């Protein structure tokens, strides 16, 4: 993964959606012993969950050695890994949490590593799998509203020009929404503009779920603070669902 120009800013932005990322915690109705946080970053989510729900054993995994070092400082005594095969916790008694990670796997991985990721998710035998990330539906409108495009072009025109060189014109609705999800990431813009926030749709994800898992909960929605920020900055009412969360349970 590319180095972040400002790790602290990156982490603070992640925390804005913190409570939403713990959506699964009150929807687990069968006992588990472990929560494995895939893409744990600096361990902030583990830190909070450990305080609120100390009955679980928490394990963090992230390929960034810098983030893992920060996680070890923030949550001393917890188990953190940069190598997946080092995790020896029984998956059959564990929940795998994957929050804001799928788009990074696709953005920085190869086809082989993406396939390996999904194999680890669905074929490791986790009792529960919680997934939350940015995703659109296959059914979004093809073209953007002309008024929305005009409003977007008035804010950070240089950023928009750079974005369109990479992703295409924002008169395509998919491209406009993609831009609106990332324009505010000023501090790490060189990284963020190239990252694919929307590599798969909700329908693509649902099609990947194997038959030995059942859906306990799912929701397709737009984050309130994202909607409000876009309205404030651009004057655009974002009504398209931009985030998806789903909790899966392995069938008996």
């Amino acid at each position: 993964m590319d180095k972040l120009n400002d790790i602290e800013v990156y982490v603070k932005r992640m925390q804005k959606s913190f409570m939403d990322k713990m959506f699964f915690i009150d929807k687990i109705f069968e006992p588990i012993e472990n929560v494995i946080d895939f893409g744990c970053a600096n361990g902030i989510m583990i830190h909070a969950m450990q305080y609120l729900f100390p009955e679980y054993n928490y394990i963090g995994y992230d390929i960034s050695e810098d983030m893992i070092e920060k996680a070890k400082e923030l949550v001393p005594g917890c188990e953190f890994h940069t190598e997946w095969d080092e995790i020896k916790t029984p998956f059959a008694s564990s929940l795998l949490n994957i929050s804001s990670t799928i788009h990074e796997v696709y953005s920085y991985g190869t086809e082989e590593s993406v396939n390996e990721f999904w194999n680890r998710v669905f074929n490791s035998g986790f009792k529960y799998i919680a997934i939350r990330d940015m995703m659109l539906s296959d059914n979004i409108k093809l073209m953007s509203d002309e008024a929305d495009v005009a409003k977007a072009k008035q804010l950070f025109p240089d950023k928009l020009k750079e974005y369109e060189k990479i992703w295409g014109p924002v008169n395509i609705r998919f491209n406009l929404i993609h831009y609106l999800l990332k324009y505010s990431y000023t501090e790490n813009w060189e990284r963020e503009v190239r990252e694919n926030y929307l590599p798969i749709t909700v329908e693509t994800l649902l099609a990947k779920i194997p038959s030995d898992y059942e859906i306990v909960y799912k929701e397709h929605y737009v984050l309130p603070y994202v909607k409000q920020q876009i309205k404030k900055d651009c004057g655009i009412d974002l009504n398209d669902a931009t985030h998806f969360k789903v909790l899966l349970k392995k069938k008996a």
Side-chain angles (χ1 to χ4, degrees):
M1 181 184 297
D2 295 345
K3 290 284 186 180
L4 291 171
N5 294 327
D6 194 327
I7 290 178
E8 297 304 323
V9 170
Y10 174 78
V11 169
K12 286 179 181 179
R13 287 184 178 273
M14 283 174 39
Q15 291 172 215
K16 284 186 176 181
S17 56
F18 187 71
M19 294 308 296
D20 191 61
K21 292 178 178 180
M22 288 199 295
F23 76 95
F24 57 85
I25 207 71
D26 64 341
K27 300 173 179 65
I28 302 170
F29 298 109
E30 292 191 7
I32 60 168
E33 296 177 5
N34 316 290
V35 174
I36 299 175
D37 195 15
F38 192 110
C40 65
N42 74 331
I44 185 64
M45 189 167 179
I46 288 178
H47 179 65
M49 287 193 295
Q50 186 183 57
Y51 176 78
L52 294 170
F53 309 100
E55 64 268 29
Y56 301 126
N57 177 47
Y58 294 95
I59 300 97
Y61 168 76
D62 201 292
I63 63 172
S64 169
E65 294 183 1
D66 291 340
M67 286 294 188
I68 289 297
E69 287 305 311
K70 289 180 177 293
K72 290 178 179 179
E73 294 175 5
L74 181 64
V75 199
C78 257
E79 183 181 337
F80 293 98
H81 300 279
T82 57
E83 296 293 336
W84 181 258
D85 292 337
E86 291 179 354
I87 302 174
K88 304 304 180 184
T89 302
F91 292 161
S93 58
S94 303
L95 177 145
L96 177 66
N97 179 47
I98 309 168
S99 185
S100 299
T101 301
I102 292 174
H103 71 276
E104 294 197 349
V105 170
Y106 277 82
S107 291
Y108 302 104
T110 62
E111 181 179 355
E112 180 181 3
S113 63
V114 168
N115 290 336
E116 182 181 51
F117 164 75
W118 287 118
N119 181 59
R120 288 172 173 172
V121 172
F122 290 130
N123 296 322
S124 296
F126 291 102
K127 190 168 188 176
Y128 283 97
I129 302 172
I131 296 175
R132 177 196 171 278
D133 215 316
M134 293 174 283
M135 289 181 205
L136 300 182
S137 170
D138 288 335
N139 299 321
I140 64 167
K141 293 189 299 182
L142 177 60
M143 304 303 294
S144 304
D145 295 332
E146 292 183 6
D148 287 348
V149 173
K151 291 173 183 177
K153 288 184 175 181
Q154 292 175 5
L155 184 70
F156 306 128
D158 291 340
K159 273 188 176 181
L160 180 58
K161 185 176 180 180
E162 184 179 359
Y163 170 86
E164 289 189 314
K165 283 183 179 179
I166 299 170
W167 300 105
V170 294
N171 67 320
I172 304 298
R173 186 68 179 168
F174 185 98
N175 293 340
L176 176 61
I177 296 172
H178 194 189
Y179 175 71
L180 292 175
L181 289 172
K182 67 172 55 186
Y183 74 88
S184 64
Y185 285 77
T186 302
E187 296 84 359
N188 295 303
W189 178 247
E190 289 302 313
R191 174 183 185 269
E192 300 294 337
V193 70
R194 290 172 174 78
E195 189 169 292
N196 187 356
Y197 283 12
L198 304 165
I200 62 173
T201 63
V202 169
E203 291 81 3
T204 300
L205 172 61
L206 292 176
K208 288 182 177 294
I209 299 172
S211 60
D212 56 342
Y213 278 93
E214 60 181 317
I215 295 175
V216 175
Y217 174 87
K218 67 177 179 179
E219 182 182 0
H220 197 200
Y221 61 107
V222 58
L223 277 173
Y225 86 82
V226 170
K227 182 180 176 71
Q228 293 168 12
Q229 188 66 50
I230 291 171
K231 178 66 174 179
K232 177 183 176 182
D233 292 343
C234 310
I236 295 174
D237 288 308
L238 181 62
N239 296 314
D240 302 84
T242 57
H243 290 67
F244 184 67
K245 52 191 177 187
V246 62
L247 178 63
L248 308 174
K249 176 183 172 294
K250 195 165 183 62
K251 296 177 181 177

